[in-house]
Protein backbone atom coordinates (compact mmCIF):
# COMPACT_ATOMS: atom_id res chain seq x y z
CA UNK A 1 0.00 0.00 0.00
CA UNK A 2 1.15 3.50 -0.82
CA UNK A 3 2.60 5.60 2.02
CA UNK A 4 2.26 9.37 2.11
CA UNK A 5 3.87 11.95 4.39
CA UNK A 6 1.84 15.12 4.65
CA UNK A 7 3.18 18.33 6.12
CA UNK A 8 0.79 21.14 7.03
CA UNK A 9 2.10 24.71 7.26
CA UNK A 10 1.20 27.19 9.99
CA UNK A 11 -1.34 29.03 7.84
CA UNK A 12 -3.13 25.69 7.29
CA UNK A 13 -3.34 25.13 11.07
CA UNK A 14 -4.09 28.64 12.28
CA UNK A 15 -7.50 27.92 13.86
CA UNK A 16 -9.73 24.97 14.75
CA UNK A 17 -11.57 25.03 11.42
CA UNK A 18 -8.26 24.88 9.53
CA UNK A 19 -6.99 22.04 11.74
CA UNK A 20 -10.25 20.18 11.17
CA UNK A 21 -9.88 20.67 7.40
CA UNK A 22 -6.30 19.36 7.59
CA UNK A 23 -7.45 16.34 9.58
CA UNK A 24 -10.21 15.68 7.03
CA UNK A 25 -7.55 15.65 4.33
CA UNK A 26 -5.51 13.13 6.33
CA UNK A 27 -8.53 10.90 6.89
CA UNK A 28 -9.65 11.08 3.26
CA UNK A 29 -6.78 8.83 2.17
CA UNK A 30 -5.58 5.92 4.36
CA UNK A 31 -2.15 6.17 2.69
CA UNK A 32 -1.62 9.48 4.54
CA UNK A 33 0.10 7.95 7.53
CA UNK A 34 2.77 10.44 8.55
CA UNK A 35 1.62 13.90 9.54
CA UNK A 36 4.06 16.78 10.12
CA UNK A 37 2.45 19.92 11.59
CA UNK A 38 3.93 23.40 11.92
CA UNK A 39 2.99 25.67 14.82
CA UNK A 40 -0.28 27.58 14.40
CA UNK A 41 0.26 30.59 12.14
CA UNK A 42 -1.59 33.89 11.80
CA UNK A 43 -5.40 33.86 11.62
CA UNK A 44 -5.44 37.34 10.10
CA UNK A 45 -2.90 39.91 8.94
CA UNK A 46 -2.60 41.50 12.40
CA UNK A 47 -2.50 38.21 14.34
CA UNK A 48 0.68 36.72 15.88
CA UNK A 49 2.35 33.45 14.90
CA UNK A 50 2.88 31.13 17.86
CA UNK A 51 6.56 30.79 16.90
CA UNK A 52 7.01 34.58 17.05
CA UNK A 53 5.31 34.71 20.46
CA UNK A 54 7.71 32.07 21.74
CA UNK A 55 10.74 34.00 20.49
CA UNK A 56 9.31 37.11 22.14
CA UNK A 57 8.81 35.18 25.39
CA UNK A 58 12.44 34.07 25.28
CA UNK A 59 13.69 37.62 24.69
CA UNK A 60 11.65 38.99 27.56
CA UNK A 61 12.79 36.24 29.93
CA UNK A 62 16.41 36.91 28.95
CA UNK A 63 16.02 40.54 29.92
CA UNK A 64 14.32 39.68 33.19
CA UNK A 65 10.98 41.11 31.98
CA UNK A 66 7.56 39.77 32.85
CA UNK A 67 6.60 37.38 30.00
CA UNK A 68 3.09 36.68 31.19
CA UNK A 69 1.58 38.35 28.09
CA UNK A 70 2.96 35.98 25.39
CA UNK A 71 2.38 33.05 27.74
CA UNK A 72 -1.25 34.06 28.25
CA UNK A 73 -1.88 34.44 24.51
CA UNK A 74 -0.36 31.00 23.82
CA UNK A 75 -2.40 29.41 26.61
CA UNK A 76 -5.65 30.93 25.34
CA UNK A 77 -4.88 29.93 21.78
CA UNK A 78 -4.23 26.25 22.59
CA UNK A 79 -7.07 26.06 25.12
CA UNK A 80 -9.43 27.42 22.47
CA UNK A 81 -8.17 24.93 19.88
CA UNK A 82 -8.51 21.98 22.29
CA UNK A 83 -12.04 23.00 23.26
CA UNK A 84 -13.19 23.50 19.67
CA UNK A 85 -11.64 20.25 18.50
CA UNK A 86 -13.08 18.39 21.50
CA UNK A 87 -9.77 17.02 22.82
CA UNK A 88 -8.65 16.87 26.44
CA UNK A 89 -5.11 18.16 25.74
CA UNK A 90 -4.19 20.58 28.53
CA UNK A 91 -1.46 23.02 27.58
CA UNK A 92 -0.97 24.39 31.11
CA UNK A 93 1.51 21.83 32.52
CA UNK A 94 3.61 22.19 29.34
CA UNK A 95 3.56 25.99 29.66
CA UNK A 96 4.70 25.76 33.28
CA UNK A 97 7.65 23.67 32.20
CA UNK A 98 8.44 26.10 29.36
CA UNK A 99 8.25 29.06 31.79
CA UNK A 100 10.55 27.31 34.19
CA UNK A 101 13.07 26.59 31.41
CA UNK A 102 12.70 30.16 30.04
CA UNK A 103 13.69 31.57 33.41
CA UNK A 104 16.60 29.17 33.72
CA UNK A 105 18.53 28.05 30.65
CA UNK A 106 16.22 27.92 27.62
CA UNK A 107 17.80 28.63 24.24
CA UNK A 108 15.82 30.47 21.52
CA UNK A 109 15.69 27.17 19.61
CA UNK A 110 14.14 25.32 22.53
CA UNK A 111 11.54 28.04 23.01
CA UNK A 112 10.64 28.27 19.30
CA UNK A 113 10.36 24.48 18.99
CA UNK A 114 7.57 24.39 21.57
CA UNK A 115 5.03 25.73 19.07
CA UNK A 116 5.40 22.63 16.90
CA UNK A 117 5.66 20.38 19.97
CA UNK A 118 2.38 21.64 21.46
CA UNK A 119 0.55 21.62 18.16
CA UNK A 120 1.84 18.10 17.45
CA UNK A 121 0.55 16.89 20.83
CA UNK A 122 -2.84 18.47 20.19
CA UNK A 123 -3.20 17.10 16.65
CA UNK A 124 -1.94 13.63 17.62
CA UNK A 125 -4.68 13.43 20.23
CA UNK A 126 -7.34 14.75 17.85
CA UNK A 127 -6.31 12.21 15.19
CA UNK A 128 -5.74 9.43 17.74
CA UNK A 129 -2.29 9.03 16.26
CA UNK A 130 1.07 8.16 17.85
CA UNK A 131 3.06 11.26 18.85
CA UNK A 132 6.74 11.05 17.90
CA UNK A 133 8.99 13.68 19.51
CA UNK A 134 11.72 14.68 17.01
CA UNK A 135 14.00 15.54 19.95
CA UNK A 136 14.57 11.80 20.24
CA UNK A 137 14.91 10.87 16.59
CA UNK A 138 15.98 13.81 14.45
CA UNK A 139 19.66 14.25 15.15
CA UNK A 140 22.01 17.07 14.30
CA UNK A 141 25.78 16.76 14.34
CA UNK A 142 27.76 19.16 16.53
CA UNK A 143 28.38 21.23 13.38
CA UNK A 144 24.63 21.81 13.08
CA UNK A 145 24.30 19.59 9.98
CA UNK A 146 21.67 16.88 9.95
CA UNK A 147 23.08 13.53 11.05
CA UNK A 148 22.15 10.94 8.38
CA UNK A 149 21.71 8.40 11.23
CA UNK A 150 18.35 10.19 11.66
CA UNK A 151 16.79 8.25 8.79
CA UNK A 152 17.29 4.82 10.40
CA UNK A 153 16.53 6.06 13.89
CA UNK A 154 13.29 7.71 12.86
CA UNK A 155 12.44 5.00 10.34
CA UNK A 156 12.55 2.39 13.10
CA UNK A 157 9.69 4.06 15.02
CA UNK A 158 7.60 4.82 11.96
CA UNK A 159 7.09 1.11 11.24
CA UNK A 160 3.77 -0.72 11.24
CA UNK A 161 0.51 0.49 9.79
CA UNK A 162 -0.37 3.16 12.34
CA UNK A 163 -0.88 6.89 11.99
CA UNK A 164 1.97 9.08 13.27
CA UNK A 165 2.34 12.77 14.08
CA UNK A 166 5.90 14.14 14.00
CA UNK A 167 6.08 17.89 14.80
CA UNK A 168 8.11 19.95 12.35
CA UNK A 169 11.01 22.39 12.74
CA UNK A 170 13.31 20.76 15.33
CA UNK A 171 15.53 17.92 16.41
CA UNK A 172 18.38 17.63 18.90
CA UNK A 173 22.17 17.96 19.04
CA UNK A 174 24.29 15.03 20.31
CA UNK A 175 24.06 16.35 23.92
CA UNK A 176 20.25 16.41 23.70
CA UNK A 177 19.91 20.20 23.33
CA UNK A 178 17.02 21.12 21.07
CA UNK A 179 17.98 22.64 17.73
CA UNK A 180 15.63 24.08 15.11
CA UNK A 181 16.07 24.39 11.38
CA UNK A 182 15.93 27.93 10.01
CA UNK A 183 12.53 29.65 9.78
CA UNK A 184 9.99 27.71 7.75
CA UNK A 185 11.98 24.55 8.51
CA UNK A 186 9.01 22.23 9.07
CA UNK A 187 9.22 21.69 5.30
CA UNK A 188 12.61 20.05 5.94
CA UNK A 189 11.16 17.86 8.70
CA UNK A 190 8.46 16.74 6.27
CA UNK A 191 11.13 15.68 3.78
CA UNK A 192 13.10 13.85 6.49
CA UNK A 193 9.97 12.00 7.63
CA UNK A 194 9.11 11.10 4.03
CA UNK A 195 12.55 9.59 3.54
CA UNK A 196 12.74 7.86 6.93
CA UNK A 197 9.28 6.33 6.50
CA UNK A 198 9.99 5.25 2.89
CA UNK A 199 7.00 7.26 1.74
CA UNK A 200 6.09 7.16 -1.93
CA UNK A 201 5.01 10.80 -1.85
CA UNK A 202 5.62 13.90 0.26
CA UNK A 203 2.55 16.15 0.24
CA UNK A 204 3.29 19.68 1.38
CA UNK A 205 -0.01 21.35 2.26
CA UNK A 206 0.07 25.11 2.28
CA UNK A 207 -2.17 28.08 1.45
CA UNK A 208 -1.43 28.42 -2.27
CA UNK A 209 -2.27 26.06 -5.12
CA UNK A 210 1.34 25.29 -6.05
CA UNK A 211 4.04 27.41 -7.64
CA UNK A 212 3.42 30.05 -10.25
CA UNK A 213 5.84 30.70 -13.10
CA UNK A 214 6.79 33.94 -11.44
CA UNK A 215 5.81 36.08 -8.46
CA UNK A 216 2.05 36.77 -8.83
CA UNK A 217 2.50 40.13 -7.09
CA UNK A 218 4.47 41.18 -10.17
CA UNK A 219 2.59 39.18 -12.82
CA UNK A 220 -0.92 38.48 -11.47
CA UNK A 221 -1.78 36.20 -14.40
CA UNK A 222 1.38 34.06 -13.98
CA UNK A 223 0.54 30.43 -14.80
CA UNK A 224 0.72 27.57 -12.33
CA UNK A 225 3.69 25.23 -12.79
CA UNK A 226 2.41 21.67 -13.14
CA UNK A 227 5.74 19.92 -12.63
CA UNK A 228 9.25 21.06 -11.90
CA UNK A 229 12.42 19.07 -11.19
CA UNK A 230 14.37 19.26 -7.92
CA UNK A 231 17.20 21.02 -9.79
CA UNK A 232 14.97 23.59 -11.42
CA UNK A 233 13.32 24.37 -8.12
CA UNK A 234 16.66 24.73 -6.39
CA UNK A 235 17.71 27.34 -8.97
CA UNK A 236 14.50 29.26 -8.46
CA UNK A 237 14.23 29.02 -4.69
CA UNK A 238 17.72 30.22 -3.93
CA UNK A 239 16.69 33.35 -5.79
CA UNK A 240 13.86 33.89 -3.36
CA UNK A 241 10.85 31.91 -4.62
CA UNK A 242 9.59 30.96 -1.20
CA UNK A 243 6.62 28.57 -1.16
CA UNK A 244 8.89 25.76 0.04
CA UNK A 245 12.00 25.99 2.26
CA UNK A 246 14.94 25.82 -0.13
CA UNK A 247 16.61 22.98 1.79
CA UNK A 248 13.54 20.76 1.80
CA UNK A 249 14.47 18.93 -1.36
CA UNK A 250 17.77 17.49 -0.10
CA UNK A 251 16.37 14.61 2.01
CA UNK A 252 14.00 13.42 -0.74
CA UNK A 253 16.23 14.01 -3.74
CA UNK A 254 18.39 10.92 -3.26
CA UNK A 255 15.55 8.42 -2.91
CA UNK A 256 13.61 10.36 -5.58
CA UNK A 257 10.43 10.90 -3.54
CA UNK A 258 8.22 13.45 -5.35
CA UNK A 259 6.93 16.46 -3.42
CA UNK A 260 3.42 17.63 -4.15
CA UNK A 261 2.58 21.23 -3.19
CA UNK A 262 -1.12 21.42 -2.39
CA UNK A 263 -3.59 23.94 -1.01
CA UNK A 264 -5.58 23.07 2.15
CA UNK A 265 -8.18 25.66 1.16
CA UNK A 266 -8.62 24.13 -2.31
CA UNK A 267 -7.66 20.47 -1.82
CA UNK A 268 -8.88 19.44 -5.27
CA UNK A 269 -6.75 21.90 -7.20
CA UNK A 270 -3.86 20.05 -8.86
CA UNK A 271 -0.97 21.98 -7.25
CA UNK A 272 2.64 21.56 -8.35
CA UNK A 273 4.67 18.33 -8.42
CA UNK A 274 8.40 18.48 -7.72
CA UNK A 275 9.90 15.45 -9.37
CA UNK A 276 13.31 13.89 -10.14
CA UNK A 277 12.73 14.07 -13.94
CA UNK A 278 10.07 15.43 -16.20
CA UNK A 279 9.19 15.64 -19.84
CA UNK A 280 10.00 19.10 -21.05
CA UNK A 281 7.45 20.89 -23.13
CA UNK A 282 8.50 24.51 -22.76
CA UNK A 283 12.05 25.82 -22.43
CA UNK A 284 11.39 28.03 -19.39
CA UNK A 285 9.58 26.84 -16.28
CA UNK A 286 10.11 29.75 -13.90
CA UNK A 287 11.48 33.25 -13.42
CA UNK A 288 12.64 34.52 -10.02
CA UNK A 289 14.18 37.86 -9.25
CA UNK A 290 15.34 39.79 -6.24
CA UNK A 291 16.87 43.13 -5.43
CA UNK A 292 19.76 43.80 -3.03
CA UNK A 293 23.00 42.87 -4.81
CA UNK A 294 26.34 44.62 -5.14
CA UNK A 295 28.85 44.01 -7.92
CA UNK A 296 32.63 44.44 -7.61
CA UNK A 297 34.17 44.82 -11.07
CA UNK A 298 37.93 44.34 -11.15
CA UNK A 299 39.83 45.35 -14.26
CA UNK A 300 43.47 44.58 -14.96
CA UNK A 301 45.13 44.44 -18.37
CA UNK A 302 46.40 40.94 -19.18
CA UNK A 303 44.85 39.44 -16.05
CA UNK A 304 44.27 36.27 -18.06
CA UNK A 305 48.05 35.75 -18.20
CA UNK A 306 48.47 36.04 -14.44
CA UNK A 307 48.22 32.61 -12.81
CA UNK A 308 46.07 32.47 -9.70
CA UNK A 309 44.39 35.86 -10.29
CA UNK A 310 40.86 34.49 -9.85
CA UNK A 311 41.84 32.53 -6.76
CA UNK A 312 43.36 35.66 -5.20
CA UNK A 313 40.22 37.67 -5.92
CA UNK A 314 38.02 35.07 -4.30
CA UNK A 315 40.32 34.67 -1.31
CA UNK A 316 39.80 38.37 -0.49
CA UNK A 317 36.07 37.74 -0.23
CA UNK A 318 36.73 34.59 1.80
CA UNK A 319 38.99 36.49 4.22
CA UNK A 320 36.12 38.89 4.86
CA UNK A 321 33.66 36.03 5.40
CA UNK A 322 31.55 37.08 2.41
CA UNK A 323 30.01 34.46 0.10
CA UNK A 324 29.58 35.39 -3.52
CA UNK A 325 26.71 34.52 -5.87
CA UNK A 326 27.92 35.05 -9.45
CA UNK A 327 31.21 35.69 -11.21
CA UNK A 328 30.89 36.89 -14.80
CA UNK A 329 34.29 37.31 -16.45
CA UNK A 330 35.84 39.03 -19.49
CA UNK A 331 39.38 38.87 -20.80
CA UNK A 332 40.64 41.66 -18.54
CA UNK A 333 37.78 41.81 -16.04
CA UNK A 334 36.27 39.75 -13.28
CA UNK A 335 33.04 40.80 -11.60
CA UNK A 336 31.94 39.37 -8.29
CA UNK A 337 28.28 39.72 -7.37
CA UNK A 338 27.29 39.41 -3.71
CA UNK A 339 24.13 39.85 -1.70
CA UNK A 340 24.02 43.08 0.29
CA UNK A 341 23.07 41.21 3.45
CA UNK A 342 26.28 39.17 3.09
CA UNK A 343 28.43 42.31 2.91
CA UNK A 344 27.72 43.61 6.41
CA UNK A 345 29.60 46.89 5.84
CA UNK A 346 32.72 45.13 4.49
CA UNK A 347 32.62 46.70 1.00
CA UNK A 348 35.29 49.38 1.56
CA UNK A 349 37.63 46.97 3.31
CA UNK A 350 37.21 44.47 0.46
CA UNK A 351 38.07 47.13 -2.14
CA UNK A 352 41.19 48.11 -0.10
CA UNK A 353 42.35 44.51 0.02
CA UNK A 354 41.64 43.90 -3.66
CA UNK A 355 43.78 46.94 -4.48
CA UNK A 356 46.57 45.90 -2.10
CA UNK A 357 46.72 42.27 -3.09
CA UNK A 358 46.03 42.42 -6.84
CA UNK A 359 47.28 45.78 -8.03
CA UNK A 360 44.33 46.17 -10.44
CA UNK A 361 43.86 49.01 -12.95
CA UNK A 362 40.46 49.71 -11.46
CA UNK A 363 37.89 48.37 -8.99
CA UNK A 364 34.34 49.66 -9.43
CA UNK A 365 31.57 48.93 -6.95
CA UNK A 366 28.00 48.99 -8.29
CA UNK A 367 25.20 49.04 -5.73
CA UNK A 368 21.48 48.65 -6.21
CA UNK A 369 21.58 45.67 -8.53
CA UNK A 370 18.73 43.19 -8.99
CA UNK A 371 19.37 39.66 -10.23
CA UNK A 372 16.83 37.65 -12.22
CA UNK A 373 17.14 33.90 -12.83
CA UNK A 374 15.25 32.44 -15.78
CA UNK A 375 15.20 28.68 -15.28
CA UNK A 376 14.20 25.63 -17.31
CA UNK A 377 15.84 22.34 -18.17
CA UNK A 378 14.38 22.60 -21.66
CA UNK A 379 16.69 25.52 -22.50
CA UNK A 380 19.46 23.33 -23.77
CA UNK A 381 17.26 21.85 -26.50
CA UNK A 382 16.08 25.24 -27.68
CA UNK A 383 17.90 27.63 -29.94
CA UNK A 384 17.48 31.33 -29.25
CA UNK A 385 16.50 31.39 -25.56
CA UNK A 386 19.11 34.00 -24.60
CA UNK A 387 18.31 36.05 -27.70
CA UNK A 388 14.62 36.04 -26.85
CA UNK A 389 15.35 37.03 -23.26
CA UNK A 390 17.73 39.87 -24.09
CA UNK A 391 15.36 41.02 -26.83
CA UNK A 392 12.53 41.26 -24.31
CA UNK A 393 14.73 43.25 -21.92
CA UNK A 394 15.76 45.64 -24.69
CA UNK A 395 12.14 46.10 -25.78
CA UNK A 396 11.24 46.99 -22.20
CA UNK A 397 13.93 49.67 -22.46
CA UNK A 398 15.93 48.21 -19.58
CA UNK A 399 19.70 48.49 -19.43
CA UNK A 400 21.14 44.98 -19.03
CA UNK A 401 24.10 45.22 -16.63
CA UNK A 402 25.11 41.55 -16.44
CA UNK A 403 24.30 38.34 -18.26
CA UNK A 404 25.56 34.90 -17.26
CA UNK A 405 24.44 31.53 -18.55
CA UNK A 406 25.31 28.52 -16.42
CA UNK A 407 27.15 25.79 -18.33
CA UNK A 408 24.39 23.31 -17.46
CA UNK A 409 22.19 25.51 -19.68
CA UNK A 410 19.47 25.36 -17.11
CA UNK A 411 19.40 29.00 -16.19
CA UNK A 412 20.24 32.42 -17.49
CA UNK A 413 21.08 35.00 -14.87
CA UNK A 414 20.77 38.68 -15.66
CA UNK A 415 21.51 41.77 -13.58
CA UNK A 416 19.54 44.99 -13.93
CA UNK A 417 19.15 48.11 -11.85
CA UNK A 418 16.80 47.60 -8.91
CA UNK A 419 14.18 49.99 -10.21
CA UNK A 420 13.93 47.86 -13.39
CA UNK A 421 13.35 44.56 -11.55
CA UNK A 422 9.57 44.25 -11.89
CA UNK A 423 9.48 45.60 -15.42
CA UNK A 424 12.13 43.07 -16.45
CA UNK A 425 10.41 40.10 -14.80
CA UNK A 426 7.17 41.00 -16.58
CA UNK A 427 8.96 41.37 -19.91
CA UNK A 428 10.68 37.96 -19.54
CA UNK A 429 7.42 36.30 -18.48
CA UNK A 430 5.61 37.65 -21.52
CA UNK A 431 8.43 36.55 -23.82
CA UNK A 432 8.30 32.94 -22.64
CA UNK A 433 4.69 32.50 -21.54
CA UNK A 434 3.48 30.84 -24.72
CA UNK A 435 6.78 29.94 -26.35
CA UNK A 436 6.99 26.22 -27.09
N1 LIG B 1 7.00 27.57 12.96
C1 LIG B 1 8.27 27.76 12.31
C2 LIG B 1 8.31 29.13 11.68
O1 LIG B 1 7.42 29.93 11.86
C3 LIG B 1 8.60 26.68 11.36
C4 LIG B 1 7.61 26.44 10.26
O2 LIG B 1 6.48 26.91 10.30
O3 LIG B 1 7.98 25.75 9.29
O4 LIG B 1 9.27 29.46 11.02
Amino acid sequence: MQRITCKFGGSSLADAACIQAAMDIVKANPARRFVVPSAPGKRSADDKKITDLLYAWHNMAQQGLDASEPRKIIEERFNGLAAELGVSFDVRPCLSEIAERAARDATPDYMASRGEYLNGRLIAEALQAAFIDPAEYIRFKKSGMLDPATYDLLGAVLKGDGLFVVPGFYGALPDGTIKTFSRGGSDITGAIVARASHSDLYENWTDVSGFRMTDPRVVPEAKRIEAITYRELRELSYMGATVLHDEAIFPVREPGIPIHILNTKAPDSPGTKIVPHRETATPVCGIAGRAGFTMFSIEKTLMNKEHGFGRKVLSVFEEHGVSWEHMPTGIDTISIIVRDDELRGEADAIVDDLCKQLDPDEVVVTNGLAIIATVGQGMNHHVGVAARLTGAIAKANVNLRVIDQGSTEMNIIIGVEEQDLEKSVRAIYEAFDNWQ
Side-chain angles (χ1 to χ4, degrees), residues 140-147 173-174 179:
F140 291 95
K141 295 184 188 169
K142 258 197 190 146
S143 63
M145 301 295 280
L146 183 77
D147 184 342
L173 288 161
K179 177 172 166 47

Side-chain angles (χ1 to χ4, degrees), residues 350-369:
I350 289 176
V351 173
D352 280 352
D353 282 349
L354 287 170
C355 292
K356 263 190 243 145
Q357 297 183 27
L358 297 153
D359 192 24
D361 300 337
E362 195 177 33
V363 178
V364 177
V365 178
T366 311
N367 297 306
L369 213 59

Side-chain angles (χ1 to χ4, degrees), residues 213-214 235-237 239-241 286-290 371-375 425:
M213 250 181 90
T214 193
E235 296 289 342
L236 285 174
S237 56
M239 279 301 301
I287 303 145
R290 59 188 281 170
I371 298 288
I372 303 166
T374 302
V375 175
V425 167

Side-chain angles (χ1 to χ4, degrees), residues 7 9-10 38-39 49 51-52 112 116 168-169 182-187:
K7 179 257 166 181
S38 286
K49 287 180 83 166
T51 310
D52 293 331
E116 271 70 11
F169 196 35
S182 56
R183 294 300 303 262
S186 301
D187 286 339

